[in-house]
Amino acid sequence: MILAANLKTNHTRHSVKEYLQAVTVFIQEEAIGAEAVIFPPATALRKGTSAVSIGAQNAYPVKSGSFTGEIGTEQLEEFELNTILIGHSERRHLLGESEAFIRQKFDFFAQQGYRIFFCIGEPIEVKEQGFEAVMAYIQTQLERIDLGYDNLVLAYEPVWAIGTGKTASSEDIAQVHSAIKKLCDKPLLYGGSAKPKNCAEILSIEGVDGLLIGTASWESKGFCDMLQITKTIDKD
Ligand code: PGA
């Protein structure tokens, strides 16, 4: 089981250091078996610990060069990082990343052997058209992505559930996850308003291999509470 904290545009270098330390100690003291990954903002990237790995929320598909405002693998590797989030809905919809550019990023970071957390999920107007429309949309997002890539983790995040407090129903999550699993047998996380109150229910759903958590992970306590709850989930 994987629990990933997406800190987005929150935290500083100092507070990420404290956050990482708190989560590391918690995992060790509580003997948490789930894997923890933290995605801090770019200015607060740092090496992971024996208990927690760190990933980049974003990077440009390049080692180095003239891409003002961006970072490449040279900057990531300074922190010995080889995990990256690609396709997050905020980058697709707020920052305007196209399907073509997302594929270019995927191919580049896959070639470099990075562990890729690849996000997919439908906006509300697609959700309203029903399950088949949702799956057609997701299939387009997965098109021409190497689904056999060894170091791939998928995250299903319905856009309308991200940061809104609205979680997809267990039935919807189960249905979509089982359909995605038929397309790609990689670890599949759910994301979208996952929090301590609902995470036991979500994690118990067949086909859910973990969570990508935004808002509820911004305080280390929230993330640790959810890590603690993973101990109660009994799934083969
Ligand atoms: P949320 O964000 O938990 O605040 O909905 C999830 C995400 O953006 O990955």
Side-chain angles (χ1 to χ4, degrees):
M1 200 172 287
I2 303 169
L3 255 55
N6 179 3
L7 301 184
K8 306 193 182 184
T9 319
N10 301 286
H11 281 279
T12 60
R13 263 153 43 95
H14 181 70
S15 67
V16 167
K17 184 178 174 191
E18 287 183 347
Y19 185 110
L20 178 61
Q21 206 164 2
V23 175
T24 299
V25 168
F26 182 81
I27 287 176
Q28 287 162 346
E29 285 182 355
E30 298 295 323
I32 304 289
E35 185 191 344
V37 184
I38 297 172
F39 293 93
T43 54
L45 289 174
R46 53 191 303 114
K47 289 181 191 170
T49 64
S50 56
V52 182
S53 52
I54 300 282
Q57 292 176 23
N58 179 48
Y60 205 72
V62 74
K63 179 172 186 283
S64 58
S66 298
F67 303 95
T68 301
E70 297 288 330
I71 56 171
T73 55
E74 185 173 87
Q75 286 74 39
L76 298 182
E77 282 155 23
E78 188 178 4
F79 303 104
E80 295 168 15
L81 303 185
N82 64 352
T83 299
I84 187 161
L85 201 58
I86 297 180
H88 189 277
S89 101
E90 283 149 16
R91 296 213 61 87
R92 290 175 187 270
H93 301 288
L94 296 177
L95 284 309
E97 286 192 8
S98 66
E99 290 291 341
F101 182 57
I102 289 167
R103 281 184 201 118
Q104 187 191 331
K105 283 170 85 171
F106 184 98
D107 290 344
F108 175 83
F109 285 100
Q111 254 167 32
Q112 311 298 313
Y114 274 61
R115 187 178 197 201
I116 297 175
F117 282 63
F118 190 74
C119 304
I120 49 181
E122 80 289 353
I124 188 69
E125 60 276 16
V126 174
K127 155 94 178 140
E128 281 164 355
Q129 291 165 36
F131 173 68
E132 273 168 32
V134 169
M135 285 315 299
Y137 190 89
I138 288 173
Q139 239 161 323
T140 308
Q141 293 179 316
L142 292 175
E143 234 163 53
R144 295 197 291 281
I145 295 292
D146 178 7
L147 299 178
Y149 178 56
D150 271 350
N151 234 346
L152 171 62
V153 176
L154 290 176
Y156 169 57
E157 299 203 299
V159 177
W160 48 272
I162 296 177
T164 58
K166 287 185 210 147
T167 318
S169 71
S170 293
E171 294 71 30
D172 284 351
I173 298 173
Q175 193 181 25
V176 175
H177 274 237
S178 126
I180 296 173
K181 284 274 183 189
K182 285 185 191 133
L183 300 172
C184 176
D185 191 22
K186 297 287 172 188
L188 177 56
L189 315 184
Y190 168 80
S193 300
K195 45 186 168 265
K197 241 168 71 184
N198 61 20
C199 75
E201 183 178 338
I202 300 172
L203 287 169
S204 305
I205 300 169
E206 171 120 19
V208 173
D209 303 311
L211 298 169
L212 179 54
I213 310 148
T215 318
S217 72
W218 295 346
E219 304 263 350
S220 61
K221 181 173 181 321
F223 191 49
C224 290
D225 286 349
M226 294 169 86
L227 283 164
Q228 183 75 278
I229 290 166
T230 62
K231 284 167 93 175
T232 66
I233 310 296
D234 186 17
K235 273 206 298 199
D236 298 332

